[in-house]
Amino acid sequence: MTINQFLLLFLLWVCLPHFCAPEIMFRRTPVPQQRIFGSRVSRSDGKILHRQKRGWMWNQFFLLEEYTGSDYQYVGKLHSDQDKGDGSLKYILSGDGAGTLFIIDEKTGDIHATRRIDREEKAFYTLRAQAINRRTLRPVEPESEFVIKIHDINDNEPMFPEEIYTASVPEMSVVGTSVVQVTATDADDPSYGNSARVIYSILQGQPYFSVEPETGIIRTALPNMNRENREQYQVVIQAKDMGGQMGGLSGTTTVNITLTDVNDNPPHFPQNTMHLRVLESSPVGTAIGSVKATDADTGKNAEVEYRIIDGDGTDMFDIITEKDTQEGIITVKKPLDYESRRLYTLKVEAENTHVDPRFYYLGPFKDTTIVKISVEDVDEPPVFSRSSYLFEVHEDIEVGTIIGTVMARDPDSTSSPIRFSLDRHTDLDRIFNIHSGNGSLYTSKPLDRELSQWHNLTVIAAEINNPKEMTRVAVFVRILDVNDNAPQFAVFYDTFVCENARPGQLIQTISAIDKDDPLGGQKFFFSLAAVNPNFTVQDNEDNTARILTRKNGFNRHEISTYLLPVVISDNDYPIQSSTGTLTIRVCACDSQGNMQSCSAEALLLPAGLSTGALIAILLCIIILLAVLFAALKRQRKKEPLILSKEDIRDNIVSYNDEGGGEEDTQAFDIGTLRNPAAMEEKKLRRDIIPETLFIPRRTPTAPDNTDVRDFINERLKEHDLDPTAPPYDSLATYAYEGNDSIAESLSSLESGTTDGDQNYDYLREWGPRFNKLAEMYGGGESDKDS
């Protein structure tokens, strides 16, 4: 406790009335109960009645808290009317704190507090007092209960539950808008004086905020506080007791106040005009640039929606709002063409999506800017007049006939010339060709609809000055049908006639097929090539015909098989016909007309062989083959593997190892020549098939003084006489190339020196072996493989 607080407490103690004075505290009061000390005769019964004297009684003592004296603090004095002052009575104290906090003088009845008492710990104490006879220890007064109340002093300052508060209030709020309420508590007794009466005041944060003194509610004090100018404020609030008077204790707290955002600022483009560039080759959907309007607000209050509201490029461009970056992305909406238009102008608007009606007066909440877009030229590939082409041609046209023309142009301002070619991956058989200059498509081989009705080609158009710029287009060639195929039997018919057949009996129904496909559909006519006495053909007029018998009965032993030529014709132009031959066998049938046996089986059965005979014949054939193989093996001659002198060149072996000369003793050992016994066994000749193995002859070892030349000559003579020695001396040299060829050079090394395309028509004159080259390189204006 500070000196100032002690002096304050002392002054209060002096000024306040002292209820603990004995003459005040222990004044005798009437007691409801009566004690009888004597007697007096009553008027009724003759006895004497005595009135009991008043004994002791008290209610409470008062004690000031936070006593700072050095002696025990005096509380009060207990005194009984029975106390004569001779020390015969003894005072006893019990209850809260008796004997520890509170003590009593058992002779005089004085009560003292042994230590300083804090009312905030305990506001009152309940005790019991009694006076007894010291000798007999019997009570002379009944036990009484009293209370010691602790008088409060202002020894506790107001306390806030939080040291720092956080609050927020929307910007642009009106004056008096409630922000937050702070409350301080005081531990002093609120029922005694002003020790616990708290008053609030603001120490820091003016003139922006104020506080209500009684409630602690913080309110705005200035109008139109703008978050964009200042967002954070720190306010210090003081709570002071004693009703805010001087000498009162105080406590403080800090309140951090944030201004929250409202949509009070419209978007704004930093520039009135913007310039963008885009290549004319940019595909649809390409982002060419972005625009962004700034907004001083934050969060959803700063969200902006972009749109194109005017300009000559509204059909060519579009704008998309990017939510994350709040930018407007301008994209290509339709294909651009530098040659058609080079500059577009757009008027772009940015508008807030969340507008607060309270701040309409600050609007409008939108802004506009002008965007100019320049289209830049690029070298574009050629453009065909159509996305695809369809040509129809009859299959009987002559080779070289033009079937159609494709057209393409260079869309650039330079208008470069175009070269056309065929993608040979779509025409592997090289049936078509194209004129490289004008795009005319013509045939280079005969067409056949029956082999392929459709041809799907790809034509390439490339700039001559820049061949990398090329465009492909699909060309569909439909081959139209021409009646160039004759009808024929639909299937192979295995026809038979019964020996007991009657005239007009049906033995076979035939039909035909035709590879052609006329517009009116197929229609076939059946007839006999010549009048036949045995069979006839009846046309059913539904592309089928019936084969009927003309005579009664057939004999398979006389004629086992009949050949019936049938002519089948179509009705298209020109009329095509063919003759199909039916093979009719004569067979034996039962009464129901079911075939039992035919002439072929009847003839083969008598000449049939048993299984044993077939096995014997097979064994004989195997034995003959084995004997023949053995004879050929014995008669095999010893033939050299080299069948002609021309093949000797295959035995030339070149060793590019030159040797080290006479001084090189490591590369050649003269001792080996002089000692043939040290040499390896002689190898057999590899160009003939040896019949017997010759044992190599061993020659005597040459003496050490033998001359090398004589030794080599001797060995050479010996090997010349040896039939098993290989013919290493048979060397043929060919250094003559022959006369010039009339075909001259076929190399392509000199083809680059020619000024134009070479003429390869002479390849057709060289014979059938050069037909393929003639087809590949011939044709005049044929295109190159892509």
Side-chain angles (χ1 to χ4, degrees):
M1 182 179 294
T2 63
I3 297 176
N4 293 331
Q5 291 177 340
F6 175 76
L7 293 176
L8 178 63
L9 291 175
F10 178 76
L11 291 174
L12 290 173
W13 182 80
V14 171
C15 295
L16 290 175
H18 296 277
F19 296 98
C20 57
E23 59 270 16
I24 297 176
M25 290 292 297
F26 302 105
R27 180 179 299 171
R28 295 181 64 184
T29 58
V31 180
Q33 298 180 353
Q34 300 292 328
R35 290 220 181 143
I36 299 175
F37 289 94
S39 62
R40 187 172 66 178
V41 178
S42 176
R43 294 179 182 179
S44 59
D45 53 7
K47 294 183 179 180
I48 299 175
L49 299 176
H50 295 276
R51 179 179 298 174
Q52 184 180 8
K53 297 177 68 176
R54 289 177 298 176
W56 65 347
M57 197 196 93
W58 58 90
N59 290 327
Q60 57 187 1
F61 291 151
F62 294 92
L63 184 64
L64 196 65
E65 69 170 333
E66 302 294 343
Y67 174 72
T68 59
S70 58
D71 298 332
Y72 289 165
Q73 186 178 5
Y74 182 74
V75 179
K77 183 179 181 64
L78 298 179
H79 182 73
S80 175
D81 293 342
Q82 302 296 328
D83 189 359
K84 303 300 183 181
D86 56 0
S88 61
L89 295 182
K90 179 181 180 181
Y91 294 95
I92 300 174
L93 188 66
S94 64
D96 294 342
T100 56
L101 180 58
F102 299 102
I103 59 176
I104 188 170
D105 189 337
E106 60 183 16
K107 292 181 179 181
T108 63
D110 293 331
I111 302 174
H112 291 84
T114 59
R115 60 179 175 82
R116 185 173 60 181
I117 298 175
D118 189 359
R119 189 201 68 84
E120 284 70 38
E121 293 181 0
K122 193 166 185 176
F124 63 90
Y125 297 86
T126 302
L127 295 96
R128 293 178 299 278
Q130 192 176 30
I132 64 175
N133 189 291
R134 187 179 296 275
R135 294 192 302 274
T136 63
L137 301 179
R138 293 181 178 181
V140 297
E141 296 284 354
E143 186 179 54
S144 298
E145 186 178 83
F146 65 94
V147 176
I148 300 177
K149 286 189 176 182
I150 310 302
H151 265 301
D152 183 45
I153 64 173
N154 190 17
D155 60 343
N156 292 280
E157 69 275 7
M159 299 290 294
F160 288 96
E162 301 289 342
E163 293 184 2
I164 298 177
Y165 289 84
T166 301
S168 62
V169 63
E171 63 172 333
M172 308 296 292
S173 297
V174 297
V175 176
T177 301
S178 176
V179 180
V180 68
Q181 182 179 14
V182 293
T183 303
T185 59
D186 197 319
D188 293 326
D189 188 2
S191 62
Y192 181 76
N194 293 327
S195 299
R197 184 187 174 194
V198 178
I199 297 297
Y200 300 94
S201 61
I202 184 168
L203 300 182
Q204 176 183 329
Q206 294 176 328
Y208 308 103
F209 299 95
S210 63
V211 63
E212 293 184 357
E214 300 291 338
T215 62
I217 297 176
I218 300 175
R219 300 181 182 274
T220 57
L222 281 182
N224 300 328
M225 286 192 294
N226 197 338
R227 183 198 65 85
E228 288 72 32
N229 296 332
R230 182 177 177 183
E231 185 176 4
Q232 299 289 338
Y233 294 86
Q234 190 174 73
V235 178
V236 178
I237 302 297
Q238 182 190 63
K240 189 174 183 180
D241 59 11
M242 298 299 295
Q245 298 177 5
M246 291 186 60
L249 303 179
S250 64
T252 61
T253 187
T254 301
V255 182
N256 293 326
I257 301 176
T258 302
L259 295 184
T260 58
D261 185 57
V262 298
N263 192 5
D264 59 339
N265 293 280
H268 176 69
F269 283 105
Q271 298 176 352
N272 295 328
T273 304
M274 300 180 64
H275 295 272
L276 298 176
R277 297 180 181 273
V278 59
L279 297 176
E280 64 171 335
S281 60
S282 300
V284 174
T286 302
I288 64 175
S290 63
V291 295
K292 185 173 183 179
T294 59
D295 194 320
D297 298 321
T298 60
K300 69 176 185 178
N301 297 320
E303 292 182 0
V304 176
E305 186 73 25
Y306 297 90
R307 63 178 64 92
I308 300 174
I309 61 175
D310 198 4
D312 54 13
T314 56
D315 295 336
M316 305 300 296
F317 300 94
D318 200 359
I319 190 167
I320 302 172
T321 301
E322 180 63 39
K323 298 297 183 182
D324 295 335
T325 61
Q326 287 297 303
E327 293 179 332
I329 309 300
I330 300 178
T331 60
V332 179
K333 188 176 182 181
K334 290 183 179 180
L336 304 174
D337 188 8
Y338 172 81
E339 288 71 27
S340 299
R341 186 160 193 168
R342 305 180 183 183
L343 181 64
Y344 294 91
T345 301
L346 304 176
K347 187 176 183 180
V348 179
E349 179 186 74
E351 183 179 10
N352 281 137
T353 56
H354 301 88
V355 180
D356 194 335
R358 297 176 300 172
F359 305 104
Y360 277 154
Y361 66 93
L362 299 176
F365 288 85
K366 56 186 176 181
D367 194 16
T368 58
T369 187
I370 301 299
V371 180
K372 294 185 178 181
I373 303 175
S374 300
V375 181
E376 296 183 349
D377 187 26
V378 296
D379 192 2
E380 300 176 89
V383 178
F384 283 95
S385 60
R386 301 180 188 175
S387 59
S388 63
Y389 292 85
L390 173 63
F391 299 139
E392 294 183 346
V393 59
H394 288 88
E395 61 179 328
D396 61 344
I397 63 172
E398 296 182 358
V399 174
T401 302
I402 296 177
I403 63 173
T405 301
V406 297
M407 292 185 294
R409 64 177 181 86
D410 183 10
D412 297 323
S413 57
T414 57
S415 187
S416 301
I418 307 299
R419 179 181 179 87
F420 299 93
S421 62
L422 269 177
D423 186 351
R424 286 304 178 187
H425 293 92
T426 61
D427 184 27
L428 297 176
D429 295 332
R430 297 181 177 271
I431 299 176
F432 300 94
N433 221 329
I434 191 171
H435 193 283
S436 61
N438 56 25
S440 298
L441 196 66
Y442 59 92
T443 59
S444 58
K445 287 184 179 180
L447 304 177
D448 190 352
R449 189 200 68 87
E450 287 69 37
L451 294 179
S452 179
Q453 185 176 359
W454 286 91
H455 295 273
N456 300 326
L457 308 177
T458 298
V459 174
I460 302 173
E463 297 181 9
I464 295 180
N465 298 333
N466 187 9
K468 293 182 179 180
E469 296 295 336
M470 62 175 60
T471 307
R472 298 170 179 265
V473 70
V475 177
F476 305 102
V477 180
R478 180 182 179 184
I479 309 301
L480 302 178
D481 186 44
V482 174
N483 192 25
D484 57 348
N485 291 278
Q488 56 187 0
F489 284 131
V491 295
F492 174 78
Y493 295 101
D494 185 11
T495 308
F496 70 92
V497 61
C498 295
E499 288 183 308
N500 56 358
R502 296 184 302 274
Q505 183 176 344
L506 174 65
I507 63 173
Q508 184 70 59
T509 299
I510 60 175
S511 62
I513 58 173
D514 195 337
K515 295 181 180 179
D516 295 323
D517 186 18
L519 297 177
Q522 300 283 1
K523 181 62 177 178
F524 303 124
F525 302 97
F526 300 89
S527 62
L528 293 179
V531 178
N532 190 291
N534 301 311
F535 304 97
T536 184
V537 174
Q538 183 177 352
D539 197 334
N540 296 329
E541 298 183 357
D542 60 353
N543 292 338
T544 63
R546 297 185 297 169
I547 307 299
L548 306 175
T549 58
R550 297 188 64 181
K551 70 176 185 176
N552 188 10
F554 294 87
N555 191 340
R556 57 177 172 159
H557 297 291
E558 294 179 358
I559 301 177
S560 61
T561 303
Y562 291 91
L563 299 178
L564 182 64
V566 179
V567 178
I568 310 173
S569 305
D570 57 22
N571 67 337
D572 203 357
Y573 180 84
I575 296 176
Q576 300 288 340
S577 63
S578 66
T579 300
T581 301
L582 283 178
T583 300
I584 304 173
R585 295 181 298 162
V586 180
C587 300
C589 304
D590 58 11
S591 59
Q592 301 297 327
N594 298 322
M595 180 182 65
Q596 292 181 342
S597 62
C598 292
S599 58
E601 296 179 358
L603 294 175
L604 286 176
L605 285 177
L609 297 177
S610 64
T611 304
L614 291 176
I615 294 175
I617 293 174
L618 183 59
L619 290 176
C620 292
I621 293 174
I622 293 175
I623 293 172
L624 289 176
L625 290 175
V627 172
L628 181 60
F629 179 74
L632 290 176
K633 187 175 181 181
R634 286 195 302 268
Q635 294 179 2
R636 183 178 300 173
K637 296 181 180 180
K638 174 183 168 183
E639 299 177 356
L641 296 178
I642 302 175
L643 300 179
S644 65
K645 295 181 180 180
E646 296 179 356
D647 293 333
I648 296 177
R649 65 182 182 275
D650 294 339
N651 292 334
I652 298 176
V653 181
S654 175
Y655 298 95
N656 295 324
D657 188 1
E658 191 170 320
E662 294 180 356
E663 297 180 356
D664 187 2
T665 59
Q666 300 295 329
F668 183 77
D669 188 3
I670 193 65
T672 303
L673 293 175
R674 296 180 176 179
N675 186 13
M679 298 174 60
E680 296 181 359
E681 293 186 357
K682 297 181 179 179
K683 297 182 179 179
L684 300 179
R685 294 181 59 174
R686 291 170 294 178
D687 60 337
I688 60 174
I689 301 175
E691 185 175 8
T692 59
L693 295 177
F694 293 91
I695 300 176
R697 296 181 298 173
R698 295 186 178 273
T699 57
T701 304
D704 293 339
N705 57 357
T706 304
D707 186 64
V708 175
R709 178 180 297 177
D710 296 339
F711 175 79
I712 293 176
N713 291 332
E714 182 180 352
R715 291 295 182 266
L716 179 60
K717 182 177 180 181
E718 179 182 343
H719 280 75
D720 287 340
L721 300 177
D722 186 4
T724 63
Y728 292 137
D729 55 343
S730 56
L731 177 64
T733 301
Y734 297 91
Y736 179 67
E737 292 187 359
N739 296 326
D740 294 340
S741 172
I742 61 173
E744 298 181 350
S745 175
L746 296 179
S747 173
S748 61
L749 296 178
E750 298 177 357
S751 59
T753 60
T754 58
D755 295 333
D757 294 335
Q758 298 186 23
N759 187 7
Y760 297 101
D761 293 337
Y762 57 85
L763 295 175
R764 302 182 184 275
E765 301 174 1
W766 290 1
R769 295 186 178 181
F770 294 88
N771 286 341
K772 190 63 177 180
L773 287 175
E775 292 175 1
M776 293 176 61
Y777 292 92
E781 293 294 335
S782 66
D783 58 296
K784 298 180 181 180
D785 294 347
S786 61

